[in-house]
Amino acid sequence: MSIANATGLTFDRVEAKFMTDFLLSGKREAEVRLAAFQHTDAGDRQILSASSVLNLTGSASRSLGLVVMRWVHGIPYGWDYADETTVYTIELQHRYRKGPENTKGKTVYAIAAPEGSEVNGNILNWGYKQDDGGKWWWIPSYRENSPWAPDFVTIPNWDEGSYSISPLHYCVGLPSERIPEATAKGWAWTRGTGHTWGRDPDITEPYFSV
């Protein structure tokens, strides 16, 4: 996901912030990095630089996480002033390190029909049935050729088993005085999720296998 159009970028370093949800330690973990790309008018996309891989290890239970990354992007100054068609982007790339989970729904026995089946006048008749104690009860009795019938129905789990990263991000170029921690490998701070540093920058992996 693109988080910055770097055309005319003044500073050699950027700060990016984003939020996470449903990162669960040992179950749903992510690895992320920042990467800079050149896009030409011919439709080519070439990776120029990348940060190290940041492993987001989540927490024991669901929590919203905040991630701040500071990085020296390596885009040379002046390219865009000499070329009116080339675009440069800085992207936040992410993928599963662990997961996703296969969360299961709940199966119930219910009156069911194919989606879109009519309800009024097309479901059931009502009849009597006597229970073991001799009491009579109103019960549904199925009309001939009705699409409605008792069946096992699975209600999907509301939790899809995946983590999420906020689709809107903050990314800004800043001078070294503001973010002296920024390096070509990257610097990070997190809250609501644990983190470790993984692999060093690797521009031979341009799409992060996503």
Side-chain angles (χ1 to χ4, degrees):
M1 52 187 72
S2 176
I3 57 176
N5 180 339
T7 301
L9 197 63
T10 301
F11 303 109
D12 66 347
R13 57 196 66 202
V14 293
E15 178 180 83
K17 295 179 181 178
F18 56 93
M19 297 185 71
T20 65
D21 192 11
F22 270 120
L23 286 170
L24 300 177
S25 301
K27 298 179 179 179
R28 305 175 209 176
E29 300 182 2
E31 54 184 27
V32 301
R33 74 173 184 181
L34 298 174
F37 287 86
Q38 178 190 39
H39 308 257
T40 70
D41 59 351
D44 297 325
R45 183 173 187 262
Q46 178 184 356
I47 188 169
L48 304 175
S49 59
S51 71
S52 295
V53 173
L54 179 66
N55 300 322
L56 299 179
T57 56
S59 56
S61 58
R62 181 188 181 186
S63 63
L64 291 175
L66 174 63
V67 182
V68 178
M69 297 182 71
R70 293 172 175 171
W71 177 51
V72 175
H73 53 69
I75 300 175
Y77 294 150
W79 282 3
D80 303 295
Y81 301 106
D83 185 341
E84 295 181 354
T85 58
T86 300
V87 173
Y88 300 90
T89 58
I90 294 174
E91 299 180 6
L92 171 66
Q93 298 185 330
H94 65 96
R95 64 183 175 193
Y96 283 97
R97 184 167 178 260
K98 293 184 179 180
E101 288 185 272
N102 181 20
T103 56
K104 296 181 179 179
K106 181 180 293 185
T107 300
V108 297
Y109 191 65
I111 298 170
E115 185 176 0
S117 297
E118 294 183 9
V119 176
N120 295 330
N122 192 35
I123 305 178
L124 310 166
N125 281 328
W126 291 92
Y128 277 116
K129 181 176 177 62
Q130 192 175 28
D131 64 19
D132 293 340
K135 185 175 181 179
W136 288 90
W137 297 88
W138 279 103
I139 64 165
S141 60
Y142 305 100
R143 291 183 176 179
E144 186 177 356
N145 298 323
S146 171
W148 293 83
D151 200 356
F152 286 101
V153 179
T154 298
I155 302 171
N157 196 317
W158 66 272
D159 177 4
E160 297 180 352
S162 57
Y163 74 76
S164 60
I165 287 182
S166 55
L168 296 177
H169 317 283
Y170 160 93
C171 185
V172 64
L174 293 171
S176 58
E177 294 79 15
R178 287 285 306 276
I179 49 173
E181 308 90 348
T183 66
K185 288 189 175 183
W187 173 95
W189 173 90
T190 62
R191 174 179 290 171
T193 172
H195 74 275
T196 61
W197 283 103
R199 298 184 307 281
D200 285 341
D202 181 7
I203 63 172
T204 65
E205 191 179 15
Y207 299 104
F208 213 39
S209 296
V210 174

